[in-house]
């Protein structure tokens, strides 16, 4: 079975074609700058012998429909195509950012689902419209394939009301759906599944804290494999310190910025979402550059790392309390997978909670899954590379298998 995974943005389409017999990627690519003068398609074909063949197209790509046509041309290309007809694709799995409270699991897309995703646009005004465009175009370009939506928010729908509600007037929840939703669900779900496989224990017997540290960053607390809390909220701004986002701040801060600095709502939004986090403190949102600055003795970079890791540590502590007992902590995504110091500082001083990192293992990170806790650490500490596309393909396959 071949499954195409699609992540459609406002001016981009990312895709991976999976062969689900062995869960390998046949090809992947990204269409960028749709609607601009100079668009591009970068396509990679993964050969069985490990070689990677790269193909590129550059030129005007007027809209998403044209972008998809270019992708299909490359998929079935006579010289380097990996399939001979688009009907070989059994299903298209779409990443959809916001499923609101409507979707607790992946779902086959039909008119009612499209309507529900549309209803959730106010909750994700930057993402859901592009995801819908991707769905509509894919339905016309791959008419014989089943279309499945996999939601970033769905994994967090098991969070109980006392953890997802804000202490605001109740009507704001009832009438306007103001509550915490959480994001990165596909990543938290994927790494927790791999964690259970690695520990050779059923996921529903495990308490895990998953820590996704990319440009955006979030944590999740899983009790018996089910998410009971996560650090992002109604929007991705809440929680951990991120590349350019503040994470948690006093909610009265915008009033101060408006009253005393005469900032508009738009300026405040820009400050909190795009000018803060690591970038706001030390001038760069790229963690590698933060470390370069730190190594040269830059005090702001040192402070940025302290703030970043202290926030993670506070969340580990609060999630440990929420869970009652803890089997594993999983670090994932660009920073979580690649930065020994972030893992070390975030877990430093937690030895009495049974969290002990083996320094040598933490530093000698090799690609792939790695256990970095000491032999006597009560809590396993793991690095697990995330793979959101594979998770979307797996979820899509599960639904297709269930239909037949
Ligand atoms: P995205 O959220 O865009 O998918 P990623 O998961 O790719 O982000 O993570 C991007 C972050 O990972 C950047 O801050 C980058 O600096 C960081 N990163 C990547 N490689 C390393 C590394 N070797 N050491 C430290 N940080 C790294």
């Amino acid at each position: 079975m071949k499954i195409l995974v699609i992540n459609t943005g406002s001016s981009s389409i990312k895709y991976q074609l999976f062969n689900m017999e062995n869960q390998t990627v046949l090809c992947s690519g990204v269409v960028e700058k749709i609607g601009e003068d100079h668009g591009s398609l970068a396509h990679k074909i993964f050969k069985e012998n490990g070689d990677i063949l790269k193909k590129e197209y550059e030129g005007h790509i007027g809209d998403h429909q044209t972008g998809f046509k270019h992708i299909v041309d490359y998929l079935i290309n006579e010289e380097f195509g990996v399939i001979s007809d688009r009907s070989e694709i059994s299903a298209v799995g779409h990443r959809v950012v916001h499923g609101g409270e409507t979707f607790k699991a992946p779902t086959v897309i039909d008119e009612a689902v499209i309507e529900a995703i549309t209803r959730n646009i106010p909750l994700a005004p930057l993402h859901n419209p592009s995801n819908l465009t991707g769905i509509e175009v894919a339905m016309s370009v791959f008419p014989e394939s089943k279309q499945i939506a996999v939601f970033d928010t769905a994994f967090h729908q098991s969070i109980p009301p006392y953890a997802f509600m804000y202490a605001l007037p109740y009507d704001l929840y009832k009438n306007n759906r103001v509550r915490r939703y959480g994001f990165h669900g596909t990543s938290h779900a994927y790494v927790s599944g791999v964690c259970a496989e690695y520990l050779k224990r059923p996921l529903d017997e495990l308490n895990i804290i998953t820590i996704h540290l990319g440009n955006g960053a979030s944590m999740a607390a899983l009790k018996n494999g089910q998410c009971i809390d996560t650090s992002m909220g109604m929007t991705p701004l809440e929680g951990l310190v991120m590349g350019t986002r503040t994470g948690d701040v006093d909610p009265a801060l915008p009033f101060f910025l408006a009253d005393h600095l005469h900032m508009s709502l738009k300026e405040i939004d820009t400050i909190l979402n795009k000018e803060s986090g690591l970038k706001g403190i030390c001038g760069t949102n790229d963690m590698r550059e933060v470390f370069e600055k730190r190594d040269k003795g830059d005090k702001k970079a040192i402070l940025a790392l302290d703030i970043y890791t202290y926030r993670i540590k506070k969340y580990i502590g609060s999630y440990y309390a929420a869970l009652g007992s803890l089997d594993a902590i999983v670090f994932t995504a660009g920073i979580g997978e690649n930065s020994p110091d972030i893992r070390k500082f975030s877990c430093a001083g937690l030895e009495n909670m049974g969290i002990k990192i083996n320094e040598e293992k933490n530093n000698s990170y090799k690609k792939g899954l790695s256990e970095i806790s000491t032999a006597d650490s009560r809590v396993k500490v793991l690095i697990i590379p995330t793979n959101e596309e594979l998770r979307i393909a797996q979820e899509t396959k599960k639904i297709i298998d269930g239909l037949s």
Side-chain angles (χ1 to χ4, degrees):
M1 181 191 290
K2 297 198 176 66
I3 289 178
L4 183 64
V5 172
I6 298 283
N7 182 355
T8 312
S10 57
S11 64
S12 68
I13 308 165
K14 291 188 190 131
Y15 61 93
Q16 287 195 12
L17 181 64
F18 285 88
N19 175 3
M20 294 310 284
E21 313 312 328
N22 51 11
Q23 305 212 357
T24 53
V25 181
L26 296 168
C27 64
S28 71
V30 55
V31 180
E32 285 181 302
K33 302 196 175 165
I34 295 171
E36 294 181 28
D37 287 349
H38 302 286
S40 64
L41 165 55
H43 183 78
K44 282 186 197 163
I45 299 135
F46 300 91
K47 302 272 193 195
E48 267 173 31
N49 64 6
D51 287 352
I52 300 174
L53 182 64
K54 290 185 184 169
K55 293 284 166 189
E56 278 179 24
Y57 167 85
E58 286 195 8
H60 177 63
I61 301 174
D63 54 19
H64 286 79
Q65 183 93 26
T66 314
F68 269 95
K69 289 230 167 81
H70 283 293
I71 296 172
V72 173
D73 284 349
Y74 273 16
L75 292 178
I76 61 177
N77 186 284
E78 274 194 4
E79 181 202 336
F80 56 81
V82 293
I83 53 174
S84 47
D85 190 274
R86 64 183 88 179
S87 61
E88 282 177 44
I89 297 173
S90 307
V92 182
H94 294 266
R95 177 188 180 208
V96 181
V97 167
H98 219 306
E101 291 187 327
T102 329
F103 299 105
K104 299 182 186 344
T107 184
V108 179
I109 297 171
D110 58 17
E111 279 308 314
V113 171
I114 290 179
E115 200 189 303
I117 298 172
T118 309
R119 240 188 352 262
N120 285 319
I121 286 177
L123 298 173
L126 299 179
H127 293 102
N128 271 26
S130 323
N131 298 158
L132 276 170
T133 305
I135 288 170
E136 278 157 16
V137 177
M139 282 173 130
S140 71
V141 176
F142 303 102
E144 291 170 52
S145 316
K146 288 267 181 305
Q147 309 284 331
I148 310 296
V150 181
F151 300 91
D152 271 15
T153 49
F155 182 67
H156 303 304
Q157 278 296 303
S158 48
I159 296 177
Y162 59 79
F164 76 61
M165 289 291 296
Y166 292 116
L168 286 165
Y170 190 81
D171 280 355
L172 279 173
Y173 168 61
K174 216 173 77 194
N175 301 335
N176 304 93
R177 298 182 290 157
V178 174
R179 52 159 283 180
R180 306 176 66 248
Y181 290 96
F183 300 88
H184 290 145
T186 311
S187 175
H188 292 291
Y190 176 78
V191 297
S192 55
V194 174
C195 172
E197 270 171 37
Y198 172 76
L199 297 177
K200 297 195 174 58
R201 289 178 58 193
L203 181 58
D204 61 11
E205 286 177 11
L206 289 173
N207 289 357
I208 307 172
I209 295 175
T210 48
I211 307 179
H212 176 112
L213 304 175
N215 278 314
S218 70
M219 288 172 59
L222 279 66
K223 193 174 180 74
N224 300 324
Q226 296 255 304
C227 185
I228 60 153
D229 207 348
T230 192
S231 58
M232 283 179 167
M234 169 133 177
T235 78
L237 183 56
E238 193 177 336
L240 300 181
V241 175
M242 309 182 209
T244 63
R245 295 187 193 123
T246 53
D248 297 333
V249 287
D250 185 333
L253 176 65
F255 311 132
F256 176 86
L257 297 177
D259 287 346
H260 295 274
L261 301 176
H262 310 295
M263 285 187 184
S264 66
L265 278 179
K266 199 167 181 317
E267 285 169 328
I268 295 172
D269 183 16
T270 304
I271 288 247
L272 299 184
N273 274 299
K274 301 203 172 121
E275 302 293 338
S276 296
L278 296 170
K279 184 178 173 196
I281 298 159
C282 73
T284 174
N285 59 306
D286 187 317
M287 189 55 95
R288 285 164 291 205
E289 290 174 20
V290 179
F291 278 112
E292 278 168 26
K293 283 172 175 254
R294 189 247 351 226
D295 293 343
K296 289 184 192 142
D298 184 310
K299 290 207 169 63
K300 287 183 184 162
I302 295 169
L303 177 65
L305 290 169
D306 285 347
I307 299 173
Y308 187 92
T309 50
Y310 179 64
R311 184 78 52 87
I312 297 170
K313 189 187 297 194
K314 283 211 290 191
Y315 268 92
I316 293 176
S318 63
Y319 285 173
Y320 206 145
L323 291 168
S325 68
L326 184 61
D327 298 294
I329 291 177
V330 178
F331 284 94
T332 193
I335 297 169
E337 291 165 31
N338 294 302
S339 177
D341 277 356
I342 294 294
R343 298 188 294 259
K344 177 175 151 185
F345 300 152
S346 302
C347 294
L350 303 183
E351 294 79 9
N352 285 339
M353 291 165 71
I355 301 166
K356 294 188 198 167
I357 287 196
N358 177 315
E359 190 131 347
E360 205 181 313
K361 286 185 186 166
N362 185 38
N363 288 333
S364 70
Y365 166 65
K366 47 189 189 320
K367 251 198 158 358
L369 192 154
S370 173
E371 182 177 331
I372 56 166
S373 36
T374 60
D376 66 341
S377 178
R378 253 193 346 268
V379 176
K380 299 271 186 212
V381 184
L382 306 172
I383 304 166
I384 300 182
T386 195
N387 194 336
E388 288 159 281
E389 294 78 14
L390 177 58
R391 174 76 183 191
I392 293 173
Q394 290 168 339
E395 294 286 306
T396 300
K397 179 172 185 297
K398 228 190 280 173
I399 293 209
I400 301 299
D401 289 346
L403 293 175
S404 52

